Amino acid sequence: MLEIRDIAVHYGRHQALDKVALDVAKGEIVVILGANGAGKSTLLKTVAGLQAAVHGSTVTLDDHRLDGLPPHKVVEAGLALVPEGRGVFGELTVAENLAMGAYAQRARGDEARRLAQVLALFPKLAERRGQMVRTMSGGEQQMVAIGRALMSAPDILMLDEPSLGLSPLVCGELFDALEKVRDTGVGILLVEQNARRSLEMADRGYLLENGRIVGQGTAAALRDDENVRRAYLGAASAH
Amino acid sequence: MLFLILFTSLLLGGAYALMAMGLTLQYGVARIMNLSIGETLVGAAFAAFWLQTQAQVGPLWGLLVITPAAFVLNWLIYRHLLTPLVRRAKNRGMLEVDSILATFGLLFILQGVMLALFGGNYYSYSYFSEPVELFGHTFALNRIVAFAVAAAVALALYLGLNRTRTGTAVRAVSVDPVAAGLVAIDVARTSALAFAIGGALTACGGALLSMFLTFNASMGVVFTTKALIIVIMGGVGDPRGAVIAALLLALAETTVATLVDPGLTLAATYGLFVLILLFRPQGIMGRRTA
């Protein structure tokens, strides 16, 4: 169980996050909905150790404190982030990217089995193992990014706008893959513009506005909520 | 004549390539533009000289001492002198400026120590200096030996960077340090490692050059210039580019020295540099950045 409590982040005088609290259990998909600039990316970056939070913010994963740890130790503890823009190693091959995913000590013993799982999840990657990642399409690079994160044997996987810039078809494939990942027992915390599709597959959701959580509930309840429909599922929906 | 020029530059280019790969690791991975790299090289040349003349240890055996010593020394320099700069740098540009200033200072410290120990005189020693007949031309054996060792070290580096987990992690940090942290790579540690390996490679190149070049305590800057030119020519962060550019530089120097005048080698170096900057500013192997 990932427990985020009282996370506050300032960029100078601007308060990007204000006492944000949320939970993600293993085996569930939790989606964070919010407009651009609401603080979604900041939240994921902060939890991953890329962004400093105000003193008093806490992040725990199965009773291990993660707040204040550098990114590489957060991954080692079982929390992986697929950042916005994917963050793949463009100058490295697919195989090398996936091998680097298993750089964490926690992932090394089990590397071969996990690689087989990732290649089963994304068969396209198996055909392209020797290809330089920067020469691949956006959808394929996103597969590399997710596959690489899975190679670290995460308990919780965070994804920042994975569908950004992808065609609806590729986007659908990606979301199907995420559901399969959830079914293996990994918890998923997802930030998405595509509210309609992400609420279809998510178990629960949170609404983030101006750095504050302003609503939460099961995905079904959020889908039926009049305010959510107006704000996120109307004309604002991407696909 | 053509063969003589080609082969001579190949032999010279080997040691240049080690130094350039050293700088490309330090700059491409650890993001430190090390202006004292020439002093590292000259320091290793003096160490090889001292071992040969005072301790009767030849430079090839000396490499086994000099290379690890340079590794440790550069590790310490990164940890204690440069890490504070890395920590306070808000972005890459700031780190570049700070590291240029810091290593510029380090240059004078290292040069001062060498001047105090050895004075301003030129040094050389005789090692494997018997002539070797190759395809109708005569070469000094020490140049051939130096090249063979440089080639072996370069090959080992290539395999290490491409075939090992740690080597791939070094390349990953070079490509994207933020993403490297997200796959559990300890970026600070890996940068220190790359900087130390870079220093060790440069020292190795210096010890090899000392087998056939005359050197003195204040000529480090000449080698720093060459290393910078090679790295910019080859494309920052790519050891393959560094090797090709090192050979090109050696070829330009040798051609001009043989056909025109040995005094014009530095001019040839800059000429080549300007041409590359004009026609391929991203380097031979580099790609244009967006």
Side-chain angles (χ1 to χ4, degrees):
Chain A
M1 174 81 111
L2 173 71
E3 294 171 66
I4 297 168
R5 295 289 176 269
D6 293 333
I7 286 217
V9 172
H10 300 282
Y11 291 138
R13 289 174 65 186
H14 170 68
Q15 179 133 27
L17 291 176
D18 184 10
K19 291 200 179 300
V20 168
L22 61 83
D23 295 330
V24 183
K26 287 171 196 166
E28 70 167 346
I29 296 180
V30 174
V31 62
I32 303 173
L33 301 177
N36 276 336
K40 296 168 299 185
S41 291
T42 303
L43 176 61
L44 296 197
K45 279 188 194 163
T46 307
V47 175
L50 291 173
Q51 168 71 45
V54 170
H55 189 73
S57 310
T58 67
V59 178
T60 49
L61 177 59
D62 297 336
D63 301 326
H64 291 289
R65 286 286 291 270
L66 303 186
D67 45 278
L69 293 183
H72 65 272
K73 294 208 169 135
V74 173
V75 182
E76 202 65 78
L79 185 63
L81 169 67
V82 177
E84 193 178 358
R86 302 186 276 272
V88 290
F89 301 120
E91 302 295 309
L92 270 52
T93 64
V94 171
E96 285 173 335
N97 267 273
L98 295 178
M100 280 298 99
Y103 192 83
Q105 290 293 342
R106 66 183 272 120
R108 290 193 187 178
D110 212 16
E111 189 177 343
R113 197 180 60 82
R114 299 200 70 84
L115 182 61
Q117 281 178 347
V118 167
L119 295 181
L121 190 65
F122 300 116
K124 236 177 215 161
L125 299 186
E127 303 160 15
R128 308 260 179 115
R129 266 193 262 193
Q131 189 171 346
M132 196 80 84
V133 170
R134 75 175 150 79
T135 65
M136 302 174 94
S137 72
E140 290 161 351
Q141 290 194 15
Q142 192 58 259
M143 291 175 194
V144 173
I146 295 172
R148 191 184 68 183
L150 289 173
M151 289 299 291
S152 71
D155 293 323
I156 305 287
L157 175 64
M158 303 190 291
L159 301 106
D160 194 351
E161 305 270 11
S163 73
L164 203 66
L166 304 184
S167 73
L169 185 72
V170 176
C171 190
E173 279 178 43
L174 216 61
F175 280 14
D176 289 344
L178 290 181
E179 287 185 85
K180 285 184 198 157
V181 170
R182 176 212 15 221
D183 295 340
T184 64
V186 176
I188 294 177
L189 179 59
L190 180 68
V191 161
E192 249 306 329
Q193 292 272 339
N194 188 344
R196 188 183 304 276
R197 182 67 178 87
S198 52
L199 278 179
E200 270 170 32
M201 84 172 165
D203 298 284
R204 294 188 302 115
Y206 292 85
L207 308 179
L208 191 64
E209 254 174 46
N210 297 322
R212 288 202 187 86
I213 299 279
V214 296
Q216 64 182 76
T218 64
L222 289 174
R223 272 200 302 269
D224 296 335
D225 186 286
E226 196 48 46
N227 289 327
V228 174
R229 293 176 80 92
R230 200 167 345 103
Y232 303 107
L233 300 177
S237 158
H239 299 296
Chain B
M1 186 58 113
L2 180 67
F3 172 79
L4 180 71
I5 290 174
L6 282 178
F7 203 71
T8 308
S9 33
L10 182 69
L11 295 183
L12 181 63
Y16 283 0
L18 288 190
M19 169 181 67
M21 287 192 295
L23 186 62
T24 210
L25 274 180
Q26 294 189 332
Y27 183 55
V29 183
R31 321 273 162 174
I32 301 292
M33 180 43 89
N34 184 3
L35 290 189
S36 68
I37 198 151
E39 274 59 37
T40 308
L41 181 127
V42 174
F46 273 112
F49 170 82
W50 189 88
L51 285 170
Q52 163 79 1
T53 54
Q54 304 297 314
Q56 277 75 49
V57 178
L60 290 186
W61 290 108
L63 279 179
L64 298 181
V65 182
I66 293 167
T67 312
F71 181 92
V72 172
L73 208 65
N74 277 273
W75 180 285
L76 292 174
I77 288 173
Y78 186 83
R79 274 295 177 192
H80 296 288
L81 180 67
L82 301 171
T83 303
L85 303 183
V86 175
R87 290 228 175 93
R88 73 173 201 186
K90 290 191 180 72
N91 53 55
R92 186 167 177 182
M94 191 173 159
L95 178 59
E96 266 171 32
V97 172
D98 283 356
S99 68
I100 284 173
L101 292 174
T103 57
F104 192 54
L106 185 63
L107 177 168
F108 290 108
I109 296 174
L110 295 175
Q111 196 183 75
V113 170
M114 289 191 287
L115 278 170
L117 290 176
F118 295 95
N121 297 330
Y122 280 85
Y123 287 80
S124 66
Y125 58 91
S126 182
Y127 180 74
F128 277 145
S129 47
E130 51 264 45
V132 176
E133 191 86 12
L134 266 180
F135 308 104
H137 294 282
T138 315
F139 298 96
L141 179 59
N142 48 32
R143 286 184 184 249
I144 295 171
V145 171
F147 173 77
V149 175
V153 171
L155 182 68
L157 177 78
Y158 180 80
L159 292 177
L161 284 177
N162 286 283
R163 302 284 164 84
T164 69
R165 191 195 295 271
T166 306
T168 311
V170 167
R171 287 189 295 136
V173 171
S174 153
V175 174
D176 188 341
V178 175
L182 292 177
V183 297
I185 295 171
D186 186 339
V187 176
R189 221 182 108 85
T190 308
S191 296
L193 177 72
F195 190 85
I197 294 174
L201 283 169
T202 305
C204 196
L208 292 175
L209 278 173
S210 76
M211 287 163 53
F212 57 89
L213 278 191
T214 304
F215 50 92
N216 81 356
S218 50
M219 73 190 304
V221 63
V222 173
F223 290 103
T224 303
T225 310
K226 287 180 189 186
L228 285 174
I229 290 173
I230 292 169
V231 166
I232 292 165
M233 263 171 30
V236 170
D238 192 323
R240 290 169 305 174
V243 171
I244 294 171
L247 294 176
L248 269 181
L249 181 75
L251 182 64
E253 287 186 354
T254 312
T255 308
V256 170
T258 316
L259 299 180
V260 189
D261 187 299
L264 287 176
T265 48
L266 216 57
T269 306
Y270 279 110
L272 186 61
F273 182 48
V274 168
L275 286 179
I276 295 272
L277 280 186
L278 283 176
F279 294 107
R280 207 171 157 75
Q282 74 273 35
I284 296 164
M285 299 295 282
R287 287 174 307 104
R288 276 176 205 283
T289 44

